[in-house]
Amino acid sequence: GQPMEFVDVDDNTVRWITEFRTKSFASPTKLELVDASDYSVLIIPNSPGAVYDLSTHRELGNILNAFIADKKPICAIGLGVAALCSAMSMDGRTWMLREYSMTAPPVREIVSRPDFATMPIVLEDFLREHGASYTANAGVGVHVVVDKHLITGQNDQSTLTTIQNLILHFNSSMRHGEVGLPDDP
């Protein structure tokens, strides 16, 4: 991957960016190089690009399928839920998260987006059509759904509560020996 580009940088954020660039995660890794067994949790933040880039990404689908098979926690928020659409069976016919309960931005939240007409998928429709049990908050408030090892948040407002649920789930799984930290090489 290429280094992250920061926009609208002011004097207050220069120190943070300088420190951030020294971290190992400052340069993203290509999904093709990721081994799911090296990770205990998968977090997909709200990202409008996920609808275009990740919803059909085969390598991400393989990573998700490994997490699903191992029952490792998966967390997706807002339009980042589109990345979950890539979790297809090897023959491409079956969505591996069918029958899960989840949330994502409803049509009424995204219809006003300038790119709505060009979105390759509408999450609410995809989830329902592929067998998920879909729910959403009637307003534009916090809404989180936890089903087994999948934690989804409807929108940006749901981020904190979604991550808190992920942490609670992971800690509980660790105590019960259901999931562990990856081994150091």
Side-chain angles (χ1 to χ4, degrees), residues 58-137:
R58 189 74 200 134
E59 292 301 323
L60 178 58
N62 292 338
I63 295 166
L64 284 163
N65 288 340
F67 268 76
I68 294 165
D70 293 341
K71 296 180 176 48
K72 290 182 181 179
I74 301 169
C75 177
I77 302 165
L79 291 173
V81 173
L84 302 178
C85 300
S86 66
M88 301 299 287
S89 62
M90 293 306 283
D91 64 8
R93 291 190 220 164
T94 306
W95 186 45
M96 302 307 289
L97 291 167
R98 69 192 182 287
E99 301 178 6
Y100 277 72
S101 296
M102 62 185 73
T103 190
V107 172
R108 70 180 178 285
E109 275 188 29
I110 59 173
V111 73
S112 61
R113 291 179 53 89
D115 62 342
F116 178 75
T118 62
M119 286 183 163
I121 62 167
V122 175
L123 281 172
E124 180 178 350
D125 295 342
F126 179 94
L127 299 177
R128 290 180 194 274
E129 291 167 5
H130 286 81
S133 175
Y134 173 82
T135 61
N137 188 339

Side-chain angles (χ1 to χ4, degrees), residues 46 76-79 81 103-106 108-110 123 134-145 152-159 162:
N46 183 32
I77 302 165
L79 291 173
V81 173
T103 190
R108 70 180 178 285
E109 275 188 29
I110 59 173
L123 281 172
Y134 173 82
T135 61
N137 188 339
V140 185
V142 174
H143 185 68
V144 176
V145 175
T152 52
Q154 179 175 322
N155 48 31
D156 276 338
Q157 295 87 336
S158 304
T159 301
T162 306

Side-chain angles (χ1 to χ4, degrees), residues 5-79:
E5 181 180 327
F6 296 93
V7 295
D8 298 328
V9 177
D10 59 21
D11 292 338
N12 293 327
T13 58
V14 169
R15 193 177 111 227
W16 181 88
I17 292 172
T18 303
E19 182 180 332
F20 175 82
R21 287 190 171 137
T22 66
K23 307 292 183 189
S24 61
F25 49 78
S27 293
T29 301
K30 291 183 178 186
L31 290 174
E32 292 79 2
L33 302 175
V34 171
D35 181 354
S37 66
D38 290 341
Y39 299 90
S40 297
V41 173
L42 178 60
I43 301 173
I44 306 163
N46 183 32
S47 52
V51 174
Y52 299 93
D53 300 333
L54 300 178
S55 62
T56 58
H57 197 286
R58 189 74 200 134
E59 292 301 323
L60 178 58
N62 292 338
I63 295 166
L64 284 163
N65 288 340
F67 268 76
I68 294 165
D70 293 341
K71 296 180 176 48
K72 290 182 181 179
I74 301 169
C75 177
I77 302 165
L79 291 173

